[in-house]
Amino acid sequence: MITIEQVLTQKQQKEFLDFPLKLYKGNPYFTPPLYMDEKKIFRKDFVYNDMCDTIHFNAYKDGKIAGRISGIIQRAANEKTGKKQIRFTHFDVIEDEQVAKELFKAIENWARQKGMDEVVGPLSYSDLEREGLLIDGFDYPATFEETYNYPYYQSFIENLGYQKDVDWTGSRLRVPKDYDGEVDKLAAFVMKRYNLHLGPARNTKDFIDKYADGIFELLDKSYELLYGTVPFTQGMKKMMIDNFKMVIDIRYVAAILDENDKMVCFGLAFPAIADAVRPSGGRLTPLTLIRLLKALKKPDVIDLCLIGVDPEWLNRGVSIIISAEMMKMLKNVKYAETNMNLEDNYAIQNQWKRFDEEKIKRHRCYVKQLTVKS
């Protein structure tokens, strides 16, 4: 027998949080988020509570937890797009299609009760969180920023009438074997032509103090039209800065400023920490902290987090400067992972053509109409 329960009690919350850790136990490709961060979704002061309505469900089969799912009405996103959507996220399920069907039935019923027309997902509260369903690249470990799921999720969702909305691709980047320094020369030319310079920073704190405001300003401007994004609130900025403090290394960041020290573009990469958090299920145990410190100090791989270019500078070739800085970053690591890039974001997709690129993953966001459009 399958039953669906709204997550309300502390026991249900723990079952919700622990379920994917049990489902993927021993799986070498699944990378858990930090457990302490996941717990925050149930707090009254959760940073997104002022812009979202959220519901969580657990599924039980014969008395044992068998799946979970969350629904989000992201009011800022709906206001931006003019749509009446709910987002589904935190979807995990045993290999039982009927359990998946009952979970989505609960989400869709909630959406109708709230007057929504569409369900989209997997999408979270903003694009700062994990999003998308993995549909290709199951034999590659997920980065710390990515979702991982079993292949059967795709057929379960599509059999319920969900269709592709967008795809993201993920790549590994290396310096081309025949690299002749041409990117560096072009970057130097652009820097000189427009009187640009790299923003200096003594350490992580100095970098954040100097450039955080400029980064958030560029993110709002350059990501405004991208899929699933919402404007930054003060709470989101604080959360992001707090997270950055843990992983930013000035060896893997670049801020490009104009002659008035105004930021025109930036690139942020982080030391890859997936291998450090995987063994503990995302819990910060003493051994996890030791692994984290080692990964941060001498990384073998870096994860590309964010790249932003002021729209006014898009046609002036400044992205070549970010490419040149990345070439330098890659000299001391095995490769960089791009994480998820929208397949129709041609500016970023074309940027990777300057590298030795290996596309390894594809994630998908689905959509389903709940009402007939007139």
Side-chain angles (χ1 to χ4, degrees), residues 276 279-292:
S280 68
R283 293 177 173 85
L284 291 181
T285 66
L287 284 177
T288 303
L289 292 174
I290 292 172
R291 289 192 296 266
L292 274 172

Side-chain angles (χ1 to χ4, degrees), residues 98-295:
Q98 189 61 35
V99 177
K101 183 177 180 180
E102 294 300 321
L103 282 168
F104 276 92
K105 181 180 178 181
I107 285 294
E108 291 170 12
N109 285 341
W110 182 70
R112 292 187 180 96
Q113 291 169 12
K114 293 291 187 177
M116 299 294 107
D117 298 330
E118 295 179 346
V119 181
V120 292
L123 278 179
S124 195
Y125 301 91
S126 76
D127 66 323
L128 299 180
E129 291 79 42
R130 297 180 177 193
E131 56 192 355
L133 188 86
L134 184 68
I135 62 168
D136 190 27
F138 296 99
D139 52 352
Y140 290 94
T143 69
F144 183 68
E145 294 81 12
E146 292 174 341
T147 57
Y148 183 86
N149 53 264
Y150 288 124
Y152 60 80
Y153 282 36
Q154 182 177 2
S155 62
F156 285 4
I157 290 174
E158 292 177 359
N159 289 345
L160 290 169
Y162 286 80
Q163 300 178 333
K164 172 185 173 180
D165 204 12
V166 299
D167 276 7
W168 295 268
T169 63
S171 301
R172 287 181 176 176
L173 305 179
R174 298 174 176 87
V175 177
K177 293 180 179 179
D178 59 351
Y179 180 63
D180 58 4
E182 184 64 22
V183 171
D184 298 286
K185 296 175 184 177
L186 289 171
F189 172 78
V190 173
M191 295 272 278
K192 183 176 180 181
R193 180 178 182 182
Y194 294 112
N195 199 19
L196 303 175
H197 61 282
L198 290 170
R202 297 186 304 274
N203 50 46
T204 297
K205 182 179 184 305
D206 190 39
F207 181 86
I208 292 174
D209 289 345
K210 285 181 176 178
Y211 307 120
D213 288 342
I215 288 172
F216 287 124
E217 181 180 348
L218 278 195
L219 283 174
D220 271 338
K221 291 173 68 175
S222 60
Y223 283 45
E224 181 182 9
L225 300 179
L226 293 185
Y227 185 87
T229 60
V230 295
F232 280 92
T233 64
Q234 289 303 121
M236 291 168 64
K237 291 178 182 179
K238 182 181 183 304
M239 177 184 68
M240 197 169 177
I241 289 173
D242 290 342
N243 292 339
F244 277 3
K245 288 177 181 177
M246 296 176 59
V247 293
I248 274 189
D249 187 319
I250 58 173
R251 294 175 295 175
Y252 307 114
V253 298
I256 293 85
L257 314 178
D258 67 11
E259 56 189 348
N260 298 313
D261 285 339
K262 183 179 179 181
M263 191 178 297
V264 300
C265 62
F266 72 90
L268 302 179
F270 300 147
I273 62 171
D275 289 346
V277 302
R278 192 176 293 118
S280 68
R283 293 177 173 85
L284 291 181
T285 66
L287 284 177
T288 303
L289 292 174
I290 292 172
R291 289 192 296 266
L292 274 172
L293 290 173
K294 183 179 178 180

Side-chain angles (χ1 to χ4, degrees), residues 304-360:
L304 303 187
C305 180
L306 293 169
I307 292 178
V309 180
D310 190 320
E312 296 178 8
W313 287 80
L314 272 176
N315 297 321
R316 302 187 197 182
V318 295
S319 65
I320 195 73
I321 304 171
I322 296 295
S323 293
E325 292 303 306
M326 284 181 54
M327 291 288 185
K328 297 174 186 175
M329 297 176 193
L330 284 169
K331 289 180 180 179
N332 297 315
V333 297
K334 293 179 181 178
Y335 55 84
E337 286 220 26
T338 66
N339 287 305
M340 296 163 54
N341 302 140
L342 286 165
E343 64 177 352
D344 59 356
N345 184 350
Y346 302 114
I348 199 70
Q349 295 287 355
N350 289 332
Q351 178 136 340
W352 305 146
K353 294 179 180 179
R354 298 163 180 156
F355 299 81
D356 178 2
E357 180 190 12
E358 177 190 9
K359 277 191 164 53
I360 60 171

